[in-house]
């Protein structure tokens, strides 16, 4: 049985937080497998990890893949500031211009992030806003950094949210309740590309328990630029760059 704490939004609106205690004993991979492969173009604002930063996660993914050949390892590892979702192509330029204005105004040089755990991803209740299902993972594998470890990243993304929504045109595109999907910092390392669901075995449990607390400084990562990209895959396979922004 794997146990995790998760920070999430308490309400559908605003920035109020709530903490959940979760246990995972089963993986429902089939739904996530379909979601990852749906080809609907979306745009995202992300910080891509560099070669050295990706390497430490590649070693973890290798262990998971050795345990289960159906694990699919993502190649374009990134920390997500915003998933803007599927928008009209005519609106891409509006979003690009406002992000550019913000990055030129709010210079920080480096955006520091800290990952605290590598864990299975959370399954959420159908037709409800971010209500975690206890006992079940959705079949993704993620590296997560809590809000308390990433105040700089959290504040930067909140400031950008407010900057975007102050623009009436952007607000009409994104909606008045737009915000980051999760308050934490996360990086999706991969997912189980398998149709069947399965019980978490002892071998897999032992792997994740070793990464339940990431103490090494190697998991403290600095990003010097962010990228606005479009992709037809949820895991940003084959991303097409719209623009890079220096911090």
């Amino acid at each position: 049985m794997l146990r995790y704490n998760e920070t999430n939004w308490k309400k559908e609106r605003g920035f109020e937080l709530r903490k959940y205690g979760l246990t995972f004993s089963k993986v429902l991979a089939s739904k996530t497998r379909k979601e990852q492969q749906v080809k609907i173009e979306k745009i995202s604002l992300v910080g891509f990890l560099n070669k050295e930063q990706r390497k430490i996660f590649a070693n973890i993914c290798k262990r998971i893949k050795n345990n289960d050949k159906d694990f699919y390892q993502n190649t374009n590892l990134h920390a997500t500031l915003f998933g803007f979702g599927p928008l009209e192509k005519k609106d891409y330029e509006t979003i690009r211009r406002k992000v550019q204005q913000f990055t030129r105004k709010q210079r920080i040089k480096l955006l520091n992030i800290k990952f605290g755990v590598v864990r299975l991803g959370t399954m959420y209740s159908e037709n409800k806003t971010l209500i975690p299902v206890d006992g079940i993972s959705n079949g993704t594998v993620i590296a997560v950094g809590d809000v308390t470890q990433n105040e700089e990243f959290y504040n930067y993304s909140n400031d950008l949210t407010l900057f975007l929504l102050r623009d009436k045109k952007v607000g009409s595109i994104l909606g008045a309740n737009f915000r980051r999907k999760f308050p934490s910092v996360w990086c999706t390392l991969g997912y189980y590309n398998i149709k069947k669901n399965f019980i978490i075995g002892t071998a897999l449990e032992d792997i994740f328990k070793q990464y339940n607390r990431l103490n090494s400084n190697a998991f403290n990562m600095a990003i010097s630029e962010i990228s606005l990209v479009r992709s037809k895959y949820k895991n940003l396979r084959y991303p097409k760059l719209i623009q890079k922004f220096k911090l």
Side-chain angles (χ1 to χ4, degrees):
M1 185 78 70
L2 293 168
R3 293 177 172 82
Y4 300 112
N5 293 317
E6 178 170 302
T7 302
N8 213 327
W9 300 117
K10 186 173 183 179
K11 300 183 181 297
E12 293 186 13
R13 301 180 182 182
F15 297 97
E16 191 175 354
L17 302 177
R18 179 174 179 177
K19 291 186 180 293
Y20 295 88
L22 298 174
T23 59
F24 293 152
S25 59
K26 185 177 182 180
V27 174
L28 269 63
S30 54
K31 181 183 175 183
T32 296
R33 177 180 182 269
K34 293 177 182 177
E35 288 176 348
Q36 294 288 340
Q37 298 172 5
V38 172
K39 297 182 179 180
I40 300 174
E41 183 173 275
K42 300 179 181 181
I43 65 170
S44 304
L45 184 65
V46 303
F48 285 108
L49 305 188
N50 62 35
K51 184 177 180 180
E52 289 302 310
Q53 291 166 343
R54 293 196 304 270
K55 189 182 297 182
I56 190 168
F57 288 129
N59 292 333
I60 295 174
C61 288
K62 185 177 180 180
R63 290 194 63 195
I64 298 171
K65 193 170 183 66
N66 285 340
N67 182 72
D68 192 326
K69 61 181 178 57
D70 290 308
F71 177 73
Y72 175 88
Q73 180 180 342
N74 288 345
T75 54
N76 291 311
L77 298 185
H78 58 277
T80 303
L81 281 89
F82 298 108
F84 290 104
L87 302 176
E88 297 290 334
K89 288 189 177 180
K90 63 181 178 62
D91 295 326
Y92 290 9
E93 173 58 20
T94 302
I95 301 298
R96 184 206 64 80
R97 187 173 65 252
K98 293 305 294 185
V99 174
Q100 182 180 62
Q101 289 176 6
F102 180 82
T103 54
R104 287 178 174 176
K105 177 182 177 182
Q106 190 137 331
R107 293 291 187 184
I108 59 172
K109 293 187 179 179
L110 291 174
L111 190 58
N112 295 300
I113 57 179
K114 178 179 175 60
F115 294 105
V117 59
V118 172
R119 45 163 279 198
L120 287 166
T122 306
M123 176 72 73
Y124 293 97
S125 299
E126 295 284 353
N127 303 319
K128 293 185 179 180
T129 303
L130 298 180
I131 304 298
V133 178
D134 193 37
I136 302 173
S137 166
N138 67 355
T140 59
V141 175
I142 57 176
V144 183
D146 195 67
V147 172
T148 56
Q149 300 172 306
N150 290 278
E151 288 189 19
E152 179 183 308
F153 185 96
Y154 186 62
N155 291 336
Y156 185 85
S157 60
N158 282 351
D159 288 345
L160 178 52
T161 302
L162 296 173
F163 180 83
L164 291 171
L165 294 181
R166 276 197 292 267
D167 184 283
K168 290 183 178 180
K169 187 173 182 180
V170 175
S172 67
I173 294 169
L174 300 179
N177 297 322
F178 172 78
R179 63 182 175 188
R180 297 186 70 238
K181 187 173 182 180
F182 300 102
S184 53
V185 179
W186 79 95
C187 175
T188 302
L189 306 186
Y191 64 96
Y192 284 93
N193 189 23
I194 186 172
K195 294 181 180 179
K196 64 180 181 180
N197 305 317
F198 61 92
I199 302 296
I200 298 169
T202 302
L204 185 60
E205 186 176 340
D206 288 344
I207 290 173
F208 281 111
K209 282 183 176 178
Q210 290 185 35
Y211 302 112
N212 200 33
R213 185 172 295 176
L214 305 177
N215 295 318
S216 170
N217 287 333
F219 295 100
N220 299 345
M221 302 179 182
I223 294 172
S224 61
E225 65 182 16
I226 53 179
S227 301
L228 188 65
V229 299
R230 55 191 178 94
S231 175
K232 292 183 178 180
Y233 293 87
K234 193 171 182 179
N235 59 4
L236 296 194
R237 289 166 64 188
Y238 318 120
K240 295 182 179 179
L241 180 68
I242 296 175
Q243 186 174 337
K244 289 182 180 180
F245 308 94
K246 288 289 185 183
L247 298 177

